[in-house]
Amino acid sequence: MEPRPAASGPCPGDSRAAEAAAAASLLNPGRAPSVAAVLPAGGSGERMGVPTPKQFCPVLERPLISYTLQALERVFWIEDIVVAVTGENMEAMKGIIQKYKHQRISLVEAGVTRHRSIFNGLRALAEDQPNSKLSKPEVVIIHDAVRPFVEEDVLLKVVTAAKEHGAAGAVRPLVSTVISPSADGRLDHSLERARHRASEMPQAFLFDVIYEAYQQCSDYDLEFGTECLQLALKYGHVNARLVEGSPDLWKVTYKRDLYAAESIIKGEYAQKNVSTANVRERISQHICIIMDTKEDETHVGHHLEEILKNELNHVEVTSGALCPAGRDLKQIILEQCYNYVCVNVMSSDFEETQRLLNMLEESDLSILYPVVVISVYFLDYKSVPFDQKVENLMQIREYAKEVRKRNILLCGLLIYYPQDEQKLQASLREGATIITTLIKERNSGLVGQLLIA
Amino acid sequence: MEPRPAASGPCPGDSRAAEAAAAASLLNPGRAPSVAAVLPAGGSGERMGVPTPKQFCPVLERPLISYTLQALERVFWIEDIVVAVTGENMEAMKGIIQKYKHQRISLVEAGVTRHRSIFNGLRALAEDQPNSKLSKPEVVIIHDAVRPFVEEDVLLKVVTAAKEHGAAGAVRPLVSTVISPSADGRLDHSLERARHRASEMPQAFLFDVIYEAYQQCSDYDLEFGTECLQLALKYGHVNARLVEGSPDLWKVTYKRDLYAAESIIKGEYAQKNVSTANVRERISQHICIIMDTKEDETHVGHHLEEILKNELNHVEVTSGALCPAGRDLKQIILEQCYNYVCVNVMSSDFEETQRLLNMLEESDLSILYPVVVISVYFLDYKSVPFDQKVENLMQIREYAKEVRKRNILLCGLLIYYPQDEQKLQASLREGATIITTLIKERNSGLVGQLLIA
């Protein structure tokens, strides 16, 4: 059985220690090797057809490369991450590291080709560098800045295989048949699809194997080659071990891939066999419902909760009152839930919502992903007239404007509360649809709106 | 210079004749060949990880294959389109053809492999079939049901090349290096990326070349082969001409690709060098603003129009009053504009919106794509109090529910109209952001809402 990827963010020491032990045992026999990663990020993104290199293109307003760094960072046994960026992007990259609080990152200047960038990264790790805080690892991972969904299990597999065989790389089945054209643009022959594989990333190498290969490389290799495994074979005589990777390892190449990446991050579809850590990362898959009352379980808030459970696949609904202590909620925030539905049955004010917003602002939760907060109210015509209720709740616009600066997307939702049980169910269903839509779209354009179900 | 793809939908006879002449001249020397297309659509979509085969998965609520049929259909010189579907999907496919009014489609039963499905399609086109309305074409196009963005220019190129050389196929540069593994899962060798190509679709063949190749095929070919160009080479001794295709030809393979496809259809990003017909198809790129007044150009509706022009790239804004005749609007609907902003400066009623909705319902516009209608009102505190205005406008929910059945997504937007010019600009900008969001998201979950800017 494969170990679970290490959880991102703070988590209890116990489970982390267990994961460390699991990882270490897989990295045996012998002691666990020291591991570093090199990330060439000097590409110009010409295939994207946009001026911004693809690794810096935003996904949910955060640059793609930050997702990749996050994926590597949460693997605690990767000690150093060396990123090669061009001089002109150096300051931008420093800004990204600071803004998203990335750690264990060292920057080196990219070369004019991918191979030269990797070589620069390896040089920085080699021990003979003066003034370097980095130390030479036993195994080095090479990954792409534009493959943000790399998981710990495949990293562990390539590292383990590299330690044993000298080199290893992730592969995938070919999607299209590969053909060889003749000089005049005609089909010469086609390759048998089943006998070939697409070489993807990550790859891992015994540091000495790949560093020596790069040192022996010809200029032609450095200019026109792309495949590190081939260098290890040519100069190190190492036949790399090939490891089957998941479809999510694909390289973000075209602009459309940014939308595909966004759909994966949002969790727009439920994936089978996905590990717990990843469910947590699919940010629309986990919502927390906060009630302002501890009434019995038949009340309207619980009805809404039940409907949401049915509406959304793979949703974990966590109910809990904010008052008196709010300790439970703190734990939920620590566990990185990015969606909050604040159900106000008893009141029409913003006290509960304000308390929630304060706790979110105190945490660093919204640094990496936008957090959606929906403040729900009910409209009982008998007690308060519609127009008065709406006028009160319009204040939400001001709150929303304020927290938007902190990457928190706040909306209001007013649900009709008719006496008729069937009508009530209908408006609760409508409310649940709106909640689902807001969580899935996660669009800042509708911030501060009061929606009506 | 390449001819423009033929426009979809009705268009004046003159331009169509010109396009026909252009296409015919490219298909010369000699007379233009008769052309049919075969679309194997029997796949099970196992890579998608969902029970629905990928060609039937919905994109904006319409099955993917319907987009591909639409792309082939609008090429008038393709006389017949033969689709191979499995018995269990036959009724569903008939339903799709009827619902989306597809034409020139014949259905045949799919085989258990892709090659067998294509063979069945070719058999249906061969002249020796009894009771067939189909006739044998000179050239046959083979395409995939899961490549919805095929354009007329690449179809024309492969058909022209097939007429001359016997076979032709679209190719793309490789995204990943291709490697050959040894039996024990190690790297044997890697292929030079620049010397290979990914074989994509569409492909085209002289009918006799490919049909005879299939007739000579071994069972092994039919079971395990995938590449039609290889069959033409092996049995017809034809070295196919390779044609460079666009990135949008990629095959929808994984679930994430459905989101990528949706982003292309919506036109979430502006593409360079895209033809007029395709801009029209990127459905969020063209909006029509309808004013209820013919006041001078400084009024608030025109301000909004100006801001929208700045907010959205590549947006064509068409203003025009619905009254008295509404003839202009009819033309805009015919030209397949999928976004309408109905600006009500003079009134707080739904007369103009209702008139627009009627015209949209009379047209068949919303059959293929959801149409977004946003009814905009202004709030001048001096004349009408907020709560009264809101209560009036809440009626929009009922209208929205009604037209939702016809694939029209209606929302209301109330924009504050303060005296202060700067504040007015701010609320117009906010309004424009909301309009942009609604058009881009095109999400039915927010239908009937009254949004406030």
mmCIF file of all heavy atoms in Angstrom, chain A residues 414-432:
data_model
loop_
_atom_site.group_PDB
_atom_site.id
_atom_site.type_symbol
_atom_site.label_atom_id
_atom_site.label_comp_id
_atom_site.label_asym_id
_atom_site.label_seq_id
_atom_site.Cartn_x
_atom_site.Cartn_y
_atom_site.Cartn_z
ATOM 1 N N LEU A 414 -30.790 35.239 0.909
ATOM 2 C CA LEU A 414 -32.046 35.363 1.644
ATOM 3 C C LEU A 414 -33.001 34.281 1.140
ATOM 4 O O LEU A 414 -33.332 34.246 -0.048
ATOM 5 C CB LEU A 414 -32.629 36.761 1.419
ATOM 6 C CG LEU A 414 -33.946 37.095 2.106
ATOM 7 C CD1 LEU A 414 -33.847 36.940 3.625
ATOM 8 C CD2 LEU A 414 -34.391 38.508 1.749
ATOM 9 N N ILE A 415 -33.412 33.406 2.049
ATOM 10 C CA ILE A 415 -34.276 32.288 1.644
ATOM 11 C C ILE A 415 -35.693 32.522 2.180
ATOM 12 O O ILE A 415 -35.879 32.753 3.373
ATOM 13 C CB ILE A 415 -33.723 30.943 2.180
ATOM 14 C CG1 ILE A 415 -32.296 30.707 1.640
ATOM 15 C CG2 ILE A 415 -34.642 29.788 1.806
ATOM 16 C CD1 ILE A 415 -31.667 29.392 2.086
ATOM 17 N N TYR A 416 -36.677 32.459 1.289
ATOM 18 C CA TYR A 416 -38.074 32.551 1.701
ATOM 19 C C TYR A 416 -38.398 31.428 2.673
ATOM 20 O O TYR A 416 -37.922 30.313 2.500
ATOM 21 C CB TYR A 416 -39.009 32.414 0.487
ATOM 22 C CG TYR A 416 -39.156 33.674 -0.303
ATOM 23 C CD1 TYR A 416 -38.316 33.933 -1.381
ATOM 24 C CD2 TYR A 416 -40.146 34.604 0.013
ATOM 25 C CE1 TYR A 416 -38.440 35.095 -2.122
ATOM 26 C CE2 TYR A 416 -40.282 35.767 -0.722
ATOM 27 C CZ TYR A 416 -39.431 36.014 -1.786
ATOM 28 O OH TYR A 416 -39.561 37.147 -2.512
ATOM 29 N N TYR A 417 -39.228 31.753 3.669
ATOM 30 C CA TYR A 417 -39.565 30.761 4.674
ATOM 31 C C TYR A 417 -41.084 30.680 4.793
ATOM 32 O O TYR A 417 -41.672 31.194 5.738
ATOM 33 C CB TYR A 417 -38.943 31.185 5.997
ATOM 34 C CG TYR A 417 -38.921 30.153 7.083
ATOM 35 C CD1 TYR A 417 -38.087 30.282 8.170
ATOM 36 C CD2 TYR A 417 -39.749 29.033 7.045
ATOM 37 C CE1 TYR A 417 -38.066 29.346 9.188
ATOM 38 C CE2 TYR A 417 -39.731 28.084 8.047
ATOM 39 C CZ TYR A 417 -38.887 28.240 9.117
ATOM 40 O OH TYR A 417 -38.857 27.308 10.124
ATOM 41 N N PRO A 418 -41.709 30.068 3.804
ATOM 42 C CA PRO A 418 -43.170 29.981 3.857
ATOM 43 C C PRO A 418 -43.610 28.920 4.874
ATOM 44 O O PRO A 418 -42.812 28.050 5.239
ATOM 45 C CB PRO A 418 -43.546 29.554 2.440
ATOM 46 C CG PRO A 418 -42.339 28.902 1.883
ATOM 47 C CD PRO A 418 -41.144 29.400 2.640
ATOM 48 N N GLN A 419 -44.851 29.025 5.333
ATOM 49 C CA GLN A 419 -45.374 28.048 6.290
ATOM 50 C C GLN A 419 -45.522 26.681 5.636
ATOM 51 O O GLN A 419 -45.258 25.659 6.245
ATOM 52 C CB GLN A 419 -46.733 28.519 6.829
ATOM 53 C CG GLN A 419 -46.621 29.697 7.773
ATOM 54 C CD GLN A 419 -45.717 29.397 8.961
ATOM 55 O OE1 GLN A 419 -45.887 28.395 9.644
ATOM 56 N NE2 GLN A 419 -44.728 30.253 9.197
ATOM 57 N N ASP A 420 -45.933 26.707 4.379
ATOM 58 C CA ASP A 420 -46.189 25.463 3.656
ATOM 59 C C ASP A 420 -44.894 24.647 3.548
ATOM 60 O O ASP A 420 -43.872 25.135 3.043
ATOM 61 C CB ASP A 420 -46.723 25.819 2.267
ATOM 62 C CG ASP A 420 -47.018 24.585 1.438
ATOM 63 O OD1 ASP A 420 -46.041 23.979 0.926
ATOM 64 O OD2 ASP A 420 -48.190 24.231 1.318
ATOM 65 N N GLU A 421 -44.947 23.416 4.020
ATOM 66 C CA GLU A 421 -43.734 22.580 4.100
ATOM 67 C C GLU A 421 -43.140 22.321 2.716
ATOM 68 O O GLU A 421 -41.920 22.387 2.525
ATOM 69 C CB GLU A 421 -44.072 21.261 4.812
ATOM 70 C CG GLU A 421 -42.881 20.322 5.008
ATOM 71 C CD GLU A 421 -41.767 20.940 5.867
ATOM 72 O OE1 GLU A 421 -42.087 21.792 6.726
ATOM 73 O OE2 GLU A 421 -40.600 20.580 5.647
ATOM 74 N N GLN A 422 -44.006 22.049 1.737
ATOM 75 C CA GLN A 422 -43.514 21.772 0.379
ATOM 76 C C GLN A 422 -42.834 22.988 -0.224
ATOM 77 O O GLN A 422 -41.775 22.893 -0.847
ATOM 78 C CB GLN A 422 -44.669 21.335 -0.513
ATOM 79 C CG GLN A 422 -44.939 19.834 -0.434
ATOM 80 C CD GLN A 422 -45.747 19.380 -1.618
ATOM 81 O OE1 GLN A 422 -46.655 20.094 -2.053
ATOM 82 N NE2 GLN A 422 -45.429 18.210 -2.149
ATOM 83 N N LYS A 423 -43.465 24.149 -0.040
ATOM 84 C CA LYS A 423 -42.874 25.389 -0.568
ATOM 85 C C LYS A 423 -41.545 25.684 0.114
ATOM 86 O O LYS A 423 -40.600 26.171 -0.510
ATOM 87 C CB LYS A 423 -43.839 26.561 -0.368
ATOM 88 C CG LYS A 423 -44.969 26.582 -1.382
ATOM 89 C CD LYS A 423 -45.821 27.831 -1.214
ATOM 90 C CE LYS A 423 -47.049 27.756 -2.115
ATOM 91 N NZ LYS A 423 -48.095 28.695 -1.680
ATOM 92 N N LEU A 424 -41.496 25.390 1.417
ATOM 93 C CA LEU A 424 -40.251 25.608 2.145
ATOM 94 C C LEU A 424 -39.136 24.734 1.572
ATOM 95 O O LEU A 424 -38.019 25.204 1.332
ATOM 96 C CB LEU A 424 -40.461 25.297 3.636
ATOM 97 C CG LEU A 424 -39.195 25.377 4.506
ATOM 98 C CD1 LEU A 424 -38.596 26.772 4.504
ATOM 99 C CD2 LEU A 424 -39.486 24.931 5.931
ATOM 100 N N GLN A 425 -39.471 23.472 1.329
ATOM 101 C CA GLN A 425 -38.467 22.571 0.748
ATOM 102 C C GLN A 425 -37.979 23.115 -0.598
ATOM 103 O O GLN A 425 -36.792 23.052 -0.906
ATOM 104 C CB GLN A 425 -39.056 21.161 0.561
ATOM 105 C CG GLN A 425 -39.221 20.375 1.853
ATOM 106 C CD GLN A 425 -37.888 20.040 2.516
ATOM 107 O OE1 GLN A 425 -36.892 19.800 1.839
ATOM 108 N NE2 GLN A 425 -37.855 20.067 3.842
ATOM 109 N N ALA A 426 -38.924 23.644 -1.393
ATOM 110 C CA ALA A 426 -38.558 24.169 -2.712
ATOM 111 C C ALA A 426 -37.594 25.344 -2.569
ATOM 112 O O ALA A 426 -36.602 25.438 -3.286
ATOM 113 C CB ALA A 426 -39.809 24.585 -3.479
ATOM 114 N N SER A 427 -37.891 26.257 -1.611
ATOM 115 C CA SER A 427 -36.977 27.398 -1.522
ATOM 116 C C SER A 427 -35.639 26.994 -0.906
ATOM 117 O O SER A 427 -34.605 27.554 -1.261
ATOM 118 C CB SER A 427 -37.598 28.615 -0.823
ATOM 119 O OG SER A 427 -38.186 28.301 0.379
ATOM 120 N N LEU A 428 -35.641 25.999 -0.039
ATOM 121 C CA LEU A 428 -34.361 25.513 0.490
ATOM 122 C C LEU A 428 -33.528 24.876 -0.619
ATOM 123 O O LEU A 428 -32.312 25.065 -0.690
ATOM 124 C CB LEU A 428 -34.598 24.498 1.619
ATOM 125 C CG LEU A 428 -35.100 25.076 2.942
ATOM 126 C CD1 LEU A 428 -35.423 23.957 3.927
ATOM 127 C CD2 LEU A 428 -34.071 26.027 3.554
ATOM 128 N N ARG A 429 -34.226 24.137 -1.503
ATOM 129 C CA ARG A 429 -33.494 23.528 -2.633
ATOM 130 C C ARG A 429 -32.890 24.612 -3.521
ATOM 131 O O ARG A 429 -31.752 24.516 -3.965
ATOM 132 C CB ARG A 429 -34.418 22.619 -3.454
ATOM 133 C CG ARG A 429 -34.417 21.171 -2.963
ATOM 134 C CD ARG A 429 -35.003 20.248 -4.016
ATOM 135 N NE ARG A 429 -36.359 20.622 -4.371
ATOM 136 C CZ ARG A 429 -37.435 20.281 -3.684
ATOM 137 N NH1 ARG A 429 -37.320 19.536 -2.603
ATOM 138 N NH2 ARG A 429 -38.636 20.663 -4.062
ATOM 139 N N GLU A 430 -33.704 25.653 -3.751
ATOM 140 C CA GLU A 430 -33.197 26.748 -4.579
ATOM 141 C C GLU A 430 -31.989 27.411 -3.903
ATOM 142 O O GLU A 430 -30.984 27.725 -4.548
ATOM 143 C CB GLU A 430 -34.313 27.777 -4.786
ATOM 144 C CG GLU A 430 -34.199 28.516 -6.095
ATOM 145 C CD GLU A 430 -35.349 29.509 -6.270
ATOM 146 O OE1 GLU A 430 -36.521 29.156 -6.025
ATOM 147 O OE2 GLU A 430 -35.059 30.653 -6.641
ATOM 148 N N GLY A 431 -32.086 27.584 -2.600
ATOM 149 C CA GLY A 431 -30.971 28.158 -1.840
ATOM 150 C C GLY A 431 -29.722 27.301 -1.953
ATOM 151 O O GLY A 431 -28.614 27.810 -2.142
ATOM 152 N N ALA A 432 -29.918 25.992 -1.869
ATOM 153 C CA ALA A 432 -28.778 25.076 -1.954
ATOM 154 C C ALA A 432 -28.123 25.169 -3.335
ATOM 155 O O ALA A 432 -26.898 25.108 -3.450
ATOM 156 C CB ALA A 432 -29.232 23.650 -1.667
#
